[in-house]
Every structure is written in C-alpha cells, then in structure tokens.
Amino acid sequence: MLPTAQTRQTARARLLAEMECLFADDAGLGSLVTYNGRPGMSKEAREAQVAWAHALVAVHGHDRAASVYSEYAGRRQSTVTESVGSWGNLLLAASPIPRWDRDVHGFMCFSCIEAFATVIGTDGDPLCSRCARAHSTIETTRPQWQAYSHSRFLFPGLMGEERKTGETKLLIRYQDGEERAYVTGEAGLLAERTSPLPGFTAISSRTHGDSRDTINLTFEARAEHQRRTVEILATFAYDPEPEQGEGHPYGFRFVSARLTTRSRKLGHLDSADQAVTEHTDLYQLLDSLMTHLYGQN
C-alpha cells in the first residue's frame, strides 16, 4: 500500500532532519587550504559519513538530495563568522564548468556562473575564489560552510534542461513484451547500478502487484565490509506522483525489509555473530545497515 498524502510530503523534511544529525559536529570550511573536516574526525568516522552521503543520494536521487543539502548548508553558513584571513588561504585550482541555463541549487559562483562557489562575499553572494578577489574585500569574505562529504551532493547534470532527465530509471520488461521505465527512487539503495553499499551483490529481483502503474518490486541482495556482511530482502512500491514540485514521479518507495547481519570474529573464520531484524522505516533501515557495516570492529 502506498503512503498517504501526508506521508508523501515528509520526504524533504526527513532528509533535512537526517542531515542535521549527520553533519551536526562537522565544522567543514572547504574553501581553505587547511581542511580536514571535523576537528579530530577519525578516518573511520569520515568513511562512515561519506557512506551515509552516498546512501542519501541513492535513496533520494541527486535532485532532492542536492536541494535539501543546499538548504541545510545555508543554515550552517550563519555559524561562520570568521573571515578567510588571507587570499592566500583560498584554493584557486578549479576546472571551468560549462555554463548552465540556471543554477537550481545555488552551488555556482554568483558572478561568473562558471565555477563552484567557495566563499561568501561582502554582499552575501556565493563566489568562487577568483571572483572573490575581484568583487569582495578580504575582511568581509567568509569561508563557505561545506560538510566533509560536500562533493557527494553536487550533480552538474541537474542544471538547466538536463535536470529533467537527471533521475536514474529502472527498465522493466513484462511477459507480454511491454517495457516500462520507472524512476528508481528509494530502490536506488539496492539497484545494481546505483547501490552505494560496499561489496554489493544483487542476488535477485521480482515484480508483483495488481497494477503496472503502482508496481511492487522486491530485491534480494548482499553487502560486505571488512568482516561484516548483511543479507537484505526488501520491498518497494512505486509512487507515480511527484514530490513537492519535482518534475518527475517520486519513484519506488521503501515498504519493508528483513536484514540478516553477520560479523566474523577475528581469528575465528568459522564463527560469526548473527542477527535478524525487520524494518518498515527507511532511516531505521539505513541506520542498521551503516551501523553494522561501518561500526567499530
């Protein structure tokens, strides 16, 4: 059964709340030469945060993930009060980016519209490092707040006309020969071409349901990281309605999943701890996956 209209309206809000938790301790100021994400952030913590960022993009698509991240980063920008200190602190090496019809999510330099913004200028506009030198003063130019995994949310193909075809799709061929393209949606977590899970193996998939417009899709898959594995059996239901003004159907929505997790003990190759859990909430599923795959050994 598809979620109610009220539930459908919460996708952006829930994603924003997840980013608030994920990046709460990340002091990212990515335009400065000296940048290591959150102070004291361990290699393991960085790896887990990047994995979460990949997962959020996979289940929400680049368009929604980029839009919500931009909103969140704008909120965090208000916490940046210090200036860049010196023009020498800015990274100037950057490849020119082809002009787009419009910068939907606010990642581009307000002045040249040819490079990603790295700072906030005197007038509060996002600028690239080169334009900041020409149009801002050093005393009032602030570093632009960026999460450690900032680059995971940038997707140039979403700008301008290409934004209309920016979402990935699943092609399903029925026994009578009809082939339909469905927006991947949250099923991107387990789809073979888009899954961000480490050591991912797609085992099987099947379609079921009474209507091809609201088809159900069940995946069986496996993921592995270091000595930890998880077997996943998950079902998604297709929602043909758009989400809050987006120009495409929402796509497959998560319905339920069963996880079977195993952890091999160091020095005991034939011994493993096993647990089975059931999930009907997308973020609880993600939390269980990330905690198991990237948790402390």
Side-chain angles (χ1 to χ4, degrees), residues 52-82:
W52 263 102
H54 275 301
L56 293 178
V57 172
V59 300
H60 285 282
H62 280 100
D63 192 9
R64 187 182 306 121
S67 175
V68 174
Y69 170 77
S70 180
E71 178 183 347
Y72 172 76
R75 295 184 182 185
R76 289 298 298 270
Q77 186 63 46
S78 64
T79 66
V80 181
T81 57
E82 69 271 29

PDB file of all heavy atoms in Angstrom, residues 52-82:
ATOM      1  N   TRP A  52      27.224   7.422   4.364  1.00  0.00           N
ATOM      2  CA  TRP A  52      25.877   7.948   4.597  1.00  0.00           C
ATOM      3  C   TRP A  52      25.475   8.902   3.469  1.00  0.00           C
ATOM      4  O   TRP A  52      24.338   8.872   2.988  1.00  0.00           O
ATOM      5  CB  TRP A  52      25.813   8.679   5.932  1.00  0.00           C
ATOM      6  CG  TRP A  52      25.274   7.861   7.058  1.00  0.00           C
ATOM      7  CD1 TRP A  52      25.968   7.251   8.062  1.00  0.00           C
ATOM      8  CD2 TRP A  52      23.889   7.570   7.302  1.00  0.00           C
ATOM      9  NE1 TRP A  52      25.111   6.595   8.901  1.00  0.00           N
ATOM     10  CE2 TRP A  52      23.824   6.775   8.472  1.00  0.00           C
ATOM     11  CE3 TRP A  52      22.706   7.896   6.643  1.00  0.00           C
ATOM     12  CZ2 TRP A  52      22.617   6.314   8.997  1.00  0.00           C
ATOM     13  CZ3 TRP A  52      21.509   7.434   7.164  1.00  0.00           C
ATOM     14  CH2 TRP A  52      21.470   6.656   8.325  1.00  0.00           C
ATOM     15  N   ALA A  53      26.396   9.777   3.072  1.00  0.00           N
ATOM     16  CA  ALA A  53      26.092  10.732   1.999  1.00  0.00           C
ATOM     17  C   ALA A  53      25.752   9.999   0.711  1.00  0.00           C
ATOM     18  O   ALA A  53      24.782  10.342   0.025  1.00  0.00           O
ATOM     19  CB  ALA A  53      27.276  11.672   1.780  1.00  0.00           C
ATOM     20  N   HIS A  54      26.533   8.973   0.377  1.00  0.00           N
ATOM     21  CA  HIS A  54      26.236   8.168  -0.812  1.00  0.00           C
ATOM     22  C   HIS A  54      24.854   7.539  -0.703  1.00  0.00           C
ATOM     23  O   HIS A  54      24.088   7.506  -1.683  1.00  0.00           O
ATOM     24  CB  HIS A  54      27.282   7.062  -0.969  1.00  0.00           C
ATOM     25  CG  HIS A  54      28.517   7.489  -1.686  1.00  0.00           C
ATOM     26  ND1 HIS A  54      28.505   7.995  -2.963  1.00  0.00           N
ATOM     27  CD2 HIS A  54      29.826   7.480  -1.299  1.00  0.00           C
ATOM     28  CE1 HIS A  54      29.751   8.268  -3.344  1.00  0.00           C
ATOM     29  NE2 HIS A  54      30.558   7.975  -2.347  1.00  0.00           N
ATOM     30  N   ALA A  55      24.519   7.031   0.490  1.00  0.00           N
ATOM     31  CA  ALA A  55      23.224   6.370   0.682  1.00  0.00           C
ATOM     32  C   ALA A  55      22.074   7.355   0.532  1.00  0.00           C
ATOM     33  O   ALA A  55      21.044   7.040  -0.078  1.00  0.00           O
ATOM     34  CB  ALA A  55      23.179   5.702   2.050  1.00  0.00           C
ATOM     35  N   LEU A  56      22.217   8.557   1.083  1.00  0.00           N
ATOM     36  CA  LEU A  56      21.155   9.565   0.982  1.00  0.00           C
ATOM     37  C   LEU A  56      20.915   9.965  -0.467  1.00  0.00           C
ATOM     38  O   LEU A  56      19.767  10.158  -0.891  1.00  0.00           O
ATOM     39  CB  LEU A  56      21.507  10.788   1.827  1.00  0.00           C
ATOM     40  CG  LEU A  56      21.535  10.561   3.336  1.00  0.00           C
ATOM     41  CD1 LEU A  56      21.950  11.840   4.050  1.00  0.00           C
ATOM     42  CD2 LEU A  56      20.193  10.076   3.855  1.00  0.00           C
ATOM     43  N   VAL A  57      21.989  10.101  -1.235  1.00  0.00           N
ATOM     44  CA  VAL A  57      21.833  10.421  -2.652  1.00  0.00           C
ATOM     45  C   VAL A  57      21.157   9.267  -3.380  1.00  0.00           C
ATOM     46  O   VAL A  57      20.287   9.470  -4.242  1.00  0.00           O
ATOM     47  CB  VAL A  57      23.199  10.737  -3.294  1.00  0.00           C
ATOM     48  CG1 VAL A  57      23.065  10.866  -4.805  1.00  0.00           C
ATOM     49  CG2 VAL A  57      23.770  12.032  -2.715  1.00  0.00           C
ATOM     50  N   ALA A  58      21.519   8.034  -3.015  1.00  0.00           N
ATOM     51  CA  ALA A  58      20.953   6.868  -3.691  1.00  0.00           C
ATOM     52  C   ALA A  58      19.451   6.752  -3.468  1.00  0.00           C
ATOM     53  O   ALA A  58      18.698   6.460  -4.397  1.00  0.00           O
ATOM     54  CB  ALA A  58      21.653   5.592  -3.205  1.00  0.00           C
ATOM     55  N   VAL A  59      18.985   6.999  -2.242  1.00  0.00           N
ATOM     56  CA  VAL A  59      17.564   6.786  -1.958  1.00  0.00           C
ATOM     57  C   VAL A  59      16.699   7.986  -2.320  1.00  0.00           C
ATOM     58  O   VAL A  59      15.486   7.839  -2.528  1.00  0.00           O
ATOM     59  CB  VAL A  59      17.323   6.413  -0.474  1.00  0.00           C
ATOM     60  CG1 VAL A  59      18.069   5.143  -0.120  1.00  0.00           C
ATOM     61  CG2 VAL A  59      17.698   7.543   0.455  1.00  0.00           C
ATOM     62  N   HIS A  60      17.297   9.182  -2.423  1.00  0.00           N
ATOM     63  CA  HIS A  60      16.502  10.369  -2.731  1.00  0.00           C
ATOM     64  C   HIS A  60      16.713  10.900  -4.142  1.00  0.00           C
ATOM     65  O   HIS A  60      15.943  11.736  -4.606  1.00  0.00           O
ATOM     66  CB  HIS A  60      16.806  11.488  -1.729  1.00  0.00           C
ATOM     67  CG  HIS A  60      16.191  11.258  -0.390  1.00  0.00           C
ATOM     68  ND1 HIS A  60      14.861  11.490  -0.130  1.00  0.00           N
ATOM     69  CD2 HIS A  60      16.720  10.786   0.764  1.00  0.00           C
ATOM     70  CE1 HIS A  60      14.588  11.187   1.129  1.00  0.00           C
ATOM     71  NE2 HIS A  60      15.700  10.758   1.685  1.00  0.00           N
ATOM     72  N   GLY A  61      17.744  10.436  -4.836  1.00  0.00           N
ATOM     73  CA  GLY A  61      18.055  10.990  -6.142  1.00  0.00           C
ATOM     74  C   GLY A  61      18.864  12.265  -5.987  1.00  0.00           C
ATOM     75  O   GLY A  61      18.796  12.950  -4.960  1.00  0.00           O
ATOM     76  N   HIS A  62      19.636  12.610  -7.023  1.00  0.00           N
ATOM     77  CA  HIS A  62      20.521  13.770  -6.937  1.00  0.00           C
ATOM     78  C   HIS A  62      19.765  15.082  -6.748  1.00  0.00           C
ATOM     79  O   HIS A  62      20.215  15.981  -6.036  1.00  0.00           O
ATOM     80  CB  HIS A  62      21.389  13.855  -8.194  1.00  0.00           C
ATOM     81  CG  HIS A  62      22.552  12.933  -8.176  1.00  0.00           C
ATOM     82  ND1 HIS A  62      22.555  11.729  -8.843  1.00  0.00           N
ATOM     83  CD2 HIS A  62      23.749  13.010  -7.549  1.00  0.00           C
ATOM     84  CE1 HIS A  62      23.714  11.123  -8.648  1.00  0.00           C
ATOM     85  NE2 HIS A  62      24.459  11.870  -7.866  1.00  0.00           N
ATOM     86  N   ASP A  63      18.623  15.220  -7.391  1.00  0.00           N
ATOM     87  CA  ASP A  63      17.903  16.491  -7.362  1.00  0.00           C
ATOM     88  C   ASP A  63      17.477  16.849  -5.943  1.00  0.00           C
ATOM     89  O   ASP A  63      17.807  17.911  -5.413  1.00  0.00           O
ATOM     90  CB  ASP A  63      16.684  16.407  -8.278  1.00  0.00           C
ATOM     91  CG  ASP A  63      16.047  17.770  -8.522  1.00  0.00           C
ATOM     92  OD1 ASP A  63      16.639  18.786  -8.120  1.00  0.00           O
ATOM     93  OD2 ASP A  63      14.964  17.808  -9.124  1.00  0.00           O
ATOM     94  N   ARG A  64      16.727  15.938  -5.296  1.00  0.00           N
ATOM     95  CA  ARG A  64      16.255  16.227  -3.948  1.00  0.00           C
ATOM     96  C   ARG A  64      17.409  16.303  -2.945  1.00  0.00           C
ATOM     97  O   ARG A  64      17.438  17.186  -2.078  1.00  0.00           O
ATOM     98  CB  ARG A  64      15.245  15.171  -3.496  1.00  0.00           C
ATOM     99  CG  ARG A  64      14.576  15.504  -2.159  1.00  0.00           C
ATOM    100  CD  ARG A  64      13.615  14.423  -1.692  1.00  0.00           C
ATOM    101  NE  ARG A  64      12.638  14.132  -2.729  1.00  0.00           N
ATOM    102  CZ  ARG A  64      12.474  12.926  -3.270  1.00  0.00           C
ATOM    103  NH1 ARG A  64      13.212  11.916  -2.873  1.00  0.00           N
ATOM    104  NH2 ARG A  64      11.564  12.728  -4.207  1.00  0.00           N
ATOM    105  N   ALA A  65      18.367  15.404  -3.068  1.00  0.00           N
ATOM    106  CA  ALA A  65      19.492  15.408  -2.138  1.00  0.00           C
ATOM    107  C   ALA A  65      20.288  16.702  -2.235  1.00  0.00           C
ATOM    108  O   ALA A  65      20.658  17.298  -1.215  1.00  0.00           O
ATOM    109  CB  ALA A  65      20.397  14.211  -2.414  1.00  0.00           C
ATOM    110  N   ALA A  66      20.534  17.171  -3.466  1.00  0.00           N
ATOM    111  CA  ALA A  66      21.279  18.419  -3.647  1.00  0.00           C
ATOM    112  C   ALA A  66      20.496  19.615  -3.116  1.00  0.00           C
ATOM    113  O   ALA A  66      21.048  20.504  -2.473  1.00  0.00           O
ATOM    114  CB  ALA A  66      21.608  18.613  -5.123  1.00  0.00           C
ATOM    115  N   SER A  67      19.191  19.633  -3.386  1.00  0.00           N
ATOM    116  CA  SER A  67      18.360  20.742  -2.958  1.00  0.00           C
ATOM    117  C   SER A  67      18.301  20.849  -1.442  1.00  0.00           C
ATOM    118  O   SER A  67      18.472  21.933  -0.857  1.00  0.00           O
ATOM    119  CB  SER A  67      16.950  20.588  -3.532  1.00  0.00           C
ATOM    120  OG  SER A  67      16.094  21.595  -3.039  1.00  0.00           O
ATOM    121  N   VAL A  68      18.079  19.727  -0.764  1.00  0.00           N
ATOM    122  CA  VAL A  68      17.972  19.736   0.696  1.00  0.00           C
ATOM    123  C   VAL A  68      19.331  20.020   1.329  1.00  0.00           C
ATOM    124  O   VAL A  68      19.424  20.761   2.318  1.00  0.00           O
ATOM    125  CB  VAL A  68      17.399  18.406   1.201  1.00  0.00           C
ATOM    126  CG1 VAL A  68      17.415  18.349   2.730  1.00  0.00           C
ATOM    127  CG2 VAL A  68      15.967  18.233   0.695  1.00  0.00           C
ATOM    128  N   TYR A  69      20.401  19.469   0.756  1.00  0.00           N
ATOM    129  CA  TYR A  69      21.732  19.765   1.289  1.00  0.00           C
ATOM    130  C   TYR A  69      22.037  21.249   1.186  1.00  0.00           C
ATOM    131  O   TYR A  69      22.595  21.857   2.106  1.00  0.00           O
ATOM    132  CB  TYR A  69      22.800  18.960   0.554  1.00  0.00           C
ATOM    133  CG  TYR A  69      24.199  19.411   0.909  1.00  0.00           C
ATOM    134  CD1 TYR A  69      24.779  19.036   2.117  1.00  0.00           C
ATOM    135  CD2 TYR A  69      24.908  20.254   0.064  1.00  0.00           C
ATOM    136  CE1 TYR A  69      26.037  19.480   2.464  1.00  0.00           C
ATOM    137  CE2 TYR A  69      26.170  20.697   0.395  1.00  0.00           C
ATOM    138  CZ  TYR A  69      26.739  20.310   1.596  1.00  0.00           C
ATOM    139  OH  TYR A  69      27.983  20.765   1.940  1.00  0.00           O
ATOM    140  N   SER A  70      21.676  21.860   0.049  1.00  0.00           N
ATOM    141  CA  SER A  70      21.907  23.288  -0.129  1.00  0.00           C
ATOM    142  C   SER A  70      21.167  24.094   0.932  1.00  0.00           C
ATOM    143  O   SER A  70      21.700  25.064   1.494  1.00  0.00           O
ATOM    144  CB  SER A  70      21.457  23.722  -1.531  1.00  0.00           C
ATOM    145  OG  SER A  70      21.673  25.093  -1.731  1.00  0.00           O
ATOM    146  N   GLU A  71      19.927  23.685   1.233  1.00  0.00           N
ATOM    147  CA  GLU A  71      19.160  24.360   2.284  1.00  0.00           C
ATOM    148  C   GLU A  71      19.838  24.209   3.636  1.00  0.00           C
ATOM    149  O   GLU A  71      19.956  25.172   4.403  1.00  0.00           O
ATOM    150  CB  GLU A  71      17.750  23.776   2.335  1.00  0.00           C
ATOM    151  CG  GLU A  71      16.879  24.383   3.437  1.00  0.00           C
ATOM    152  CD  GLU A  71      15.505  23.737   3.519  1.00  0.00           C
ATOM    153  OE1 GLU A  71      15.128  22.996   2.582  1.00  0.00           O
ATOM    154  OE2 GLU A  71      14.815  23.970   4.521  1.00  0.00           O
ATOM    155  N   TYR A  72      20.299  23.004   3.935  1.00  0.00           N
ATOM    156  CA  TYR A  72      20.961  22.767   5.217  1.00  0.00           C
ATOM    157  C   TYR A  72      22.267  23.559   5.322  1.00  0.00           C
ATOM    158  O   TYR A  72      22.545  24.197   6.341  1.00  0.00           O
ATOM    159  CB  TYR A  72      21.255  21.276   5.393  1.00  0.00           C
ATOM    160  CG  TYR A  72      22.099  21.002   6.607  1.00  0.00           C
ATOM    161  CD1 TYR A  72      21.543  21.048   7.888  1.00  0.00           C
ATOM    162  CD2 TYR A  72      23.469  20.751   6.486  1.00  0.00           C
ATOM    163  CE1 TYR A  72      22.324  20.828   9.002  1.00  0.00           C
ATOM    164  CE2 TYR A  72      24.250  20.535   7.605  1.00  0.00           C
ATOM    165  CZ  TYR A  72      23.675  20.571   8.857  1.00  0.00           C
ATOM    166  OH  TYR A  72      24.455  20.374   9.975  1.00  0.00           O
ATOM    167  N   ALA A  73      23.078  23.533   4.262  1.00  0.00           N
ATOM    168  CA  ALA A  73      24.348  24.252   4.274  1.00  0.00           C
ATOM    169  C   ALA A  73      24.123  25.753   4.448  1.00  0.00           C
ATOM    170  O   ALA A  73      24.913  26.447   5.097  1.00  0.00           O
ATOM    171  CB  ALA A  73      25.122  23.977   2.990  1.00  0.00           C
ATOM    172  N   GLY A  74      23.017  26.275   3.875  1.00  0.00           N
ATOM    173  CA  GLY A  74      22.696  27.685   4.056  1.00  0.00           C
ATOM    174  C   GLY A  74      22.427  28.019   5.504  1.00  0.00           C
ATOM    175  O   GLY A  74      22.802  29.095   6.001  1.00  0.00           O
ATOM    176  N   ARG A  75      21.787  27.097   6.225  1.00  0.00           N
ATOM    177  CA  ARG A  75      21.553  27.313   7.655  1.00  0.00           C
ATOM    178  C   ARG A  75      22.869  27.321   8.430  1.00  0.00           C
ATOM    179  O   ARG A  75      23.087  28.156   9.312  1.00  0.00           O
ATOM    180  CB  ARG A  75      20.634  26.216   8.210  1.00  0.00           C
ATOM    181  CG  ARG A  75      19.226  26.220   7.656  1.00  0.00           C
ATOM    182  CD  ARG A  75      18.387  25.154   8.350  1.00  0.00           C
ATOM    183  NE  ARG A  75      17.040  25.080   7.814  1.00  0.00           N
ATOM    184  CZ  ARG A  75      16.088  24.297   8.303  1.00  0.00           C
ATOM    185  NH1 ARG A  75      16.347  23.516   9.341  1.00  0.00           N
ATOM    186  NH2 ARG A  75      14.882  24.290   7.758  1.00  0.00           N
ATOM    187  N   ARG A  76      23.748  26.379   8.077  1.00  0.00           N
ATOM    188  CA  ARG A  76      25.023  26.302   8.782  1.00  0.00           C
ATOM    189  C   ARG A  76      25.925  27.498   8.461  1.00  0.00           C
ATOM    190  O   ARG A  76      26.814  27.840   9.246  1.00  0.00           O
ATOM    191  CB  ARG A  76      25.741  24.999   8.413  1.00  0.00           C
ATOM    192  CG  ARG A  76      25.122  23.744   8.987  1.00  0.00           C
ATOM    193  CD  ARG A  76      25.123  23.707  10.513  1.00  0.00           C
ATOM    194  NE  ARG A  76      26.450  23.738  11.072  1.00  0.00           N
ATOM    195  CZ  ARG A  76      27.176  22.652  11.338  1.00  0.00           C
ATOM    196  NH1 ARG A  76      26.681  21.455  11.082  1.00  0.00           N
ATOM    197  NH2 ARG A  76      28.380  22.758  11.859  1.00  0.00           N
ATOM    198  N   GLN A  77      25.711  28.148   7.305  1.00  0.00           N
ATOM    199  CA  GLN A  77      26.539  29.287   6.934  1.00  0.00           C
ATOM    200  C   GLN A  77      26.456  30.395   7.961  1.00  0.00           C
ATOM    201  O   GLN A  77      27.414  31.124   8.198  1.00  0.00           O
ATOM    202  CB  GLN A  77      26.114  29.818   5.564  1.00  0.00           C
ATOM    203  CG  GLN A  77      27.017  30.915   5.013  1.00  0.00           C
ATOM    204  CD  GLN A  77      28.435  30.423   4.759  1.00  0.00           C
ATOM    205  OE1 GLN A  77      28.629  29.366   4.182  1.00  0.00           O
ATOM    206  NE2 GLN A  77      29.422  31.194   5.203  1.00  0.00           N
ATOM    207  N   SER A  78      25.308  30.517   8.616  1.00  0.00           N
ATOM    208  CA  SER A  78      25.144  31.579   9.611  1.00  0.00           C
ATOM    209  C   SER A  78      26.056  31.394  10.818  1.00  0.00           C
ATOM    210  O   SER A  78      26.276  32.318  11.588  1.00  0.00           O
ATOM    211  CB  SER A  78      23.678  31.630  10.079  1.00  0.00           C
ATOM    212  OG  SER A  78      23.321  30.426  10.743  1.00  0.00           O
ATOM    213  N   THR A  79      26.631  30.188  10.980  1.00  0.00           N
ATOM    214  CA  THR A  79      27.531  29.940  12.105  1.00  0.00           C
ATOM    215  C   THR A  79      28.971  30.332  11.779  1.00  0.00           C
ATOM    216  O   THR A  79      29.830  30.323  12.661  1.00  0.00           O
ATOM    217  CB  THR A  79      27.504  28.452  12.505  1.00  0.00           C
ATOM    218  OG1 THR A  79      28.056  27.659  11.445  1.00  0.00           O
ATOM    219  CG2 THR A  79      26.066  27.994  12.773  1.00  0.00           C
ATOM    220  N   VAL A  80      29.242  30.663  10.504  1.00  0.00           N
ATOM    221  CA  VAL A  80      30.603  31.028  10.093  1.00  0.00           C
ATOM    222  C   VAL A  80      30.770  32.532  10.248  1.00  0.00           C
ATOM    223  O   VAL A  80      30.166  33.312   9.512  1.00  0.00           O
ATOM    224  CB  VAL A  80      30.875  30.612   8.637  1.00  0.00           C
ATOM    225  CG1 VAL A  80      32.303  30.974   8.246  1.00  0.00           C
ATOM    226  CG2 VAL A  80      30.639  29.123   8.457  1.00  0.00           C
ATOM    227  N   THR A  81      31.571  32.952  11.196  1.00  0.00           N
ATOM    228  CA  THR A  81      31.732  34.380  11.485  1.00  0.00           C
ATOM    229  C   THR A  81      33.120  34.903  11.123  1.00  0.00           C
ATOM    230  O   THR A  81      33.292  36.097  10.909  1.00  0.00           O
ATOM    231  CB  THR A  81      31.471  34.658  12.977  1.00  0.00           C
ATOM    232  OG1 THR A  81      32.359  33.854  13.772  1.00  0.00           O
ATOM    233  CG2 THR A  81      30.021  34.313  13.333  1.00  0.00           C
ATOM    234  N   GLU A  82      34.142  34.026  11.059  1.00  0.00           N
ATOM    235  CA  GLU A  82      35.481  34.498  10.773  1.00  0.00           C
ATOM    236  C   GLU A  82      35.668  34.736   9.281  1.00  0.00           C
ATOM    237  O   GLU A  82      34.974  34.138   8.462  1.00  0.00           O
ATOM    238  CB  GLU A  82      36.538  33.498  11.275  1.00  0.00           C
ATOM    239  CG  GLU A  82      36.585  32.182  10.509  1.00  0.00           C
ATOM    240  CD  GLU A  82      35.659  31.131  11.086  1.00  0.00           C
ATOM    241  OE1 GLU A  82      34.623  31.503  11.664  1.00  0.00           O
ATOM    242  OE2 GLU A  82      35.977  29.944  10.927  1.00  0.00           O
TER     243      GLU A  82
END
